[in-house]
Amino acid sequence: MEWGAVSSEGKKVSTVLESRSQRTLSPYDGVIMGADMGGSYGSTLRYKSVERIKPIGKQTLLGVSGEISDFQEILHYLDELIIYDHIWDDGNFLGPKELHNYLNRVMYNRRNKSNPLWNSLVYLGMVGMIGTYYEDNHVVTGFGNHLTRPIMRAEWREDLTFEEAVKILEKCLFVLLYRDRSAINKFQIYKITEEGVTISEPYALKTFWGFSAFQNPTKGAEGSW
Amino acid sequence: MALRGDWVYENNGGTCVAIAGSDYCVVAADTRLSVGYSIYTRDYSKICKLADKCVLASSGFQGDMKALQKNLAAKHLIYQHQHNKQMSCPAMARLLSNTLYYKRFFPYYTFNILGGLDNEGKGCVYSYDAVGSYERTGYSCQGTGGNLITPVLDNQLKSPSPLLLPSRDAVTPLSESEAVDLVKDVFASATERDIYTGDKLEIIIVNATGIRQEFLDLRKD
């Protein structure tokens, strides 16, 4: 990844802070989302406790991958919306469908001005940097599309319990940990049901690196490193 | 990366088909949303019901498709408030053309087909390019599988040749059920060879009694 660079119009054209895949599953009575907690600055793993998922109001979770500063700006926009709602004091509040529409339009309109929010957002569905969006029973950003979507397609069922859904999510996070160089072994799982939002403590998955092929990596190719 | 202009667009794939008959119109599209070599979802509708007798099917960049549908739906609502009636298909056809041309220098990357019944109750199909050039035809296909399907429809629909003089109405003499069966066959074929077409087929049939919807499973590979 490049350093933050400024184009002739004075806008930032390259990403500075990037964090990768995170995913969400919808079991029978709620939604769970999982993400790793790493924030990279190019190839440097700069931050190790980044919370990439935030609860919005009482009914939604918003997860993000991509430019962290743009995520913070989105949270700022959402705060404004919620405060504006609150001061009407008429009992109405923003639900997931309203949020869905708002975020979609924000991403698409920034793309129209050639000044995108360099993020992929995950909430009721997924919306990408240029405004492409979709809803499904399981949603993923970044590398997850290639590595974990097949796992979720094979294992997701209508009647998953929370524990089963977490197992599938952990399997996916595991694959990403092994294969995505910007993932770190520190995860959080967020759960949202009618009762509210539950956030797990950061935890690590058990990895195994003792494969015999790793013992002497240059055995088959003398002189390489 | 953002200095080049092509990141603002992507092709989310998919195919749309519409066939006009003497008193019906069939509009169909697959439901796969793709990006690159990945499938985002197998269940995304590319068809939008704009008016009682007017249905829009689009393929191309999904962000623009969604924005265009919202745009037209909003304009249609204003029309209804001002004229106290629904827009006719030919009127919507011109509106769509103008809406697309309005963004001639930053186009909607959408390939549209508008299908429905005209003011006399006959089936009509309008076919568009990305910047609003349009024509009323008897049938049309757009999208990634369009080139695979068009020759088959040319052959099977038994429509009068466009080269005949005096020019004849291009609607097909087939019955509604024959046309629907043909659409199913034609999508099954396109699914075999086009990687972006598949999963499920959504068929909308517009006739004098209203709008009916059918689904057909397609190959998921």
Side-chain angles (χ1 to χ4, degrees):
Chain A
M1 280 296 142
E2 305 90 302
W3 283 82
V6 181
S7 78
S8 54
E9 305 122 53
K11 294 184 212 156
K12 191 144 59 89
V13 295
S14 317
T15 56
V16 175
L17 215 62
E18 182 119 338
S19 51
R20 291 285 185 163
S21 332
Q22 47 106 13
R23 58 228 52 80
T24 158
L25 272 175
S26 312
Y28 189 65
D29 56 354
V31 175
I32 56 171
M33 255 196 224
D36 77 309
M37 298 186 76
S40 312
Y41 188 95
S43 55
T44 303
L45 178 57
R46 189 164 181 186
Y47 299 110
K48 301 192 199 178
S49 294
V50 178
E51 288 193 357
R52 298 200 279 126
I53 304 177
K54 289 275 182 241
I56 311 286
K58 299 187 214 32
Q59 298 190 325
T60 349
L61 287 174
L62 174 65
V64 82
S65 72
E67 174 68 55
I68 301 291
S69 60
D70 282 348
F71 178 44
Q72 289 167 347
E73 194 173 322
I74 291 171
L75 291 177
H76 182 68
Y77 287 155
L78 292 173
D79 274 341
E80 278 181 352
L81 270 187
I82 289 173
I83 290 170
Y84 188 68
D85 245 10
H86 186 68
I87 58 184
W88 273 104
D89 198 20
D90 59 359
N92 270 327
F93 59 91
L94 280 178
K97 287 238 150 74
E98 287 81 39
L99 186 65
H100 167 89
N101 196 60
Y102 178 75
L103 289 173
N104 279 0
R105 290 303 103 211
V106 162
M107 299 301 278
Y108 181 73
N109 282 306
R110 287 287 296 253
R111 163 260 184 200
N112 281 350
K113 296 191 280 200
S114 289
N115 180 19
L117 290 161
W118 208 276
N119 296 115
S120 292
L121 306 178
V122 170
Y123 48 97
L124 182 60
M126 192 218 75
V127 72
M129 184 176 100
I130 50 176
T132 312
Y133 90 98
Y134 69 97
E135 287 169 41
D136 207 335
N137 297 314
H138 35 76
V139 149
V140 153
T141 63
F143 260 119
N145 268 312
H146 295 105
L147 297 173
T148 64
R149 209 68 197 289
I151 299 174
M152 297 205 268
R153 282 198 175 117
E155 305 200 1
W156 186 90
R157 285 178 350 257
E158 189 78 49
D159 54 349
L160 282 174
T161 62
F162 172 62
E163 287 74 28
E164 287 170 328
V166 168
K167 275 218 155 33
I168 299 176
L169 209 59
E170 282 183 348
K171 204 173 186 174
C172 296
L173 291 170
F174 201 51
V175 169
L176 285 165
L177 177 61
Y178 274 163
R179 289 293 177 179
D180 182 355
R181 69 156 192 170
S182 57
I184 62 171
N185 196 1
K186 189 173 171 195
F187 305 99
Q188 273 185 312
I189 307 254
Y190 285 62
K191 169 182 160 190
I192 188 165
T193 57
E194 268 153 17
E195 289 107 48
V197 178
T198 326
I199 305 169
S200 73
E201 282 303 303
Y203 69 103
L205 293 172
K206 200 157 168 330
T207 57
F208 176 70
W209 300 98
F211 295 102
S212 58
F214 292 168
Q215 299 314 329
N216 189 6
T218 59
K219 193 165 85 169
E222 292 299 324
S224 65
W225 64 97
Chain B
M1 268 203 294
L3 284 169
R4 288 160 59 222
D6 57 6
W7 61 270
V8 283
Y9 291 114
E10 73 188 8
N11 189 351
N12 298 115
T15 311
C16 317
V17 164
I19 300 177
S22 53
D23 61 350
Y24 66 87
C25 183
V26 178
V27 178
D30 69 323
T31 63
R32 174 179 283 182
L33 191 74
S34 331
V35 79
Y37 284 116
S38 294
I39 299 175
Y40 270 158
T41 185
R42 301 189 189 278
D43 198 8
Y44 183 81
S45 172
K46 300 182 178 69
I47 303 184
C48 175
K49 180 191 147 194
L50 291 174
D52 270 352
K53 305 279 184 218
C54 191
V55 167
L56 173 69
S58 323
S59 81
F61 168 44
Q62 191 254 14
D64 278 345
M65 273 160 58
K66 203 71 211 162
L68 182 65
Q69 287 171 0
K70 276 175 173 269
N71 203 334
L72 290 175
K75 288 180 169 150
H76 184 226
L77 193 58
I78 293 171
Y79 181 97
Q80 285 176 84
H81 287 150
Q82 290 174 342
H83 297 91
N84 196 23
K85 63 171 183 161
Q86 297 262 330
M87 265 177 106
S88 67
C89 207
M92 185 61 84
R94 179 58 73 93
L95 178 64
L96 175 54
S97 170
N98 288 337
T99 306
L100 290 170
Y101 196 81
Y102 195 76
K103 287 206 356 124
R104 169 67 176 78
F105 300 110
F106 183 11
Y108 287 112
Y109 188 74
T110 56
F111 301 99
N112 305 293
I113 311 181
L114 197 71
L117 302 178
D118 67 8
N119 292 319
E120 291 147 22
K122 278 206 306 215
C124 63
V125 165
Y126 294 89
S127 185
Y128 295 77
D129 71 357
V131 286
S133 161
Y134 80 114
E135 185 190 26
R136 180 172 175 173
T137 55
Y139 58 94
S140 173
C141 323
Q142 294 276 20
T144 49
N147 286 335
L148 295 167
I149 295 179
T150 306
V152 180
L153 292 184
D154 287 338
N155 182 271
Q156 292 291 309
L157 277 175
K158 316 264 181 277
S159 291
S161 165
L163 301 168
L164 286 171
L165 284 174
S167 58
R168 244 140 273 209
D169 224 353
V171 298
T172 174
L174 262 49
S175 73
E176 186 184 297
S177 56
E178 285 173 321
V180 170
D181 282 345
L182 183 59
V183 159
K184 291 176 179 173
D185 278 341
V186 122
F187 262 92
S189 304
T191 303
E192 295 288 316
R193 292 289 181 173
D194 178 24
I195 60 172
Y196 295 113
T197 303
D199 291 331
K200 202 163 74 166
L201 173 63
E202 182 184 6
I203 310 173
I204 303 276
I205 303 120
V206 188
N207 56 27
T209 55
I211 297 188
R212 195 175 94 238
Q213 191 181 49
E214 266 185 55
F215 287 101
L216 172 73
D217 271 344
L218 297 171
R219 283 182 67 155
K220 300 185 182 333
D221 64 352

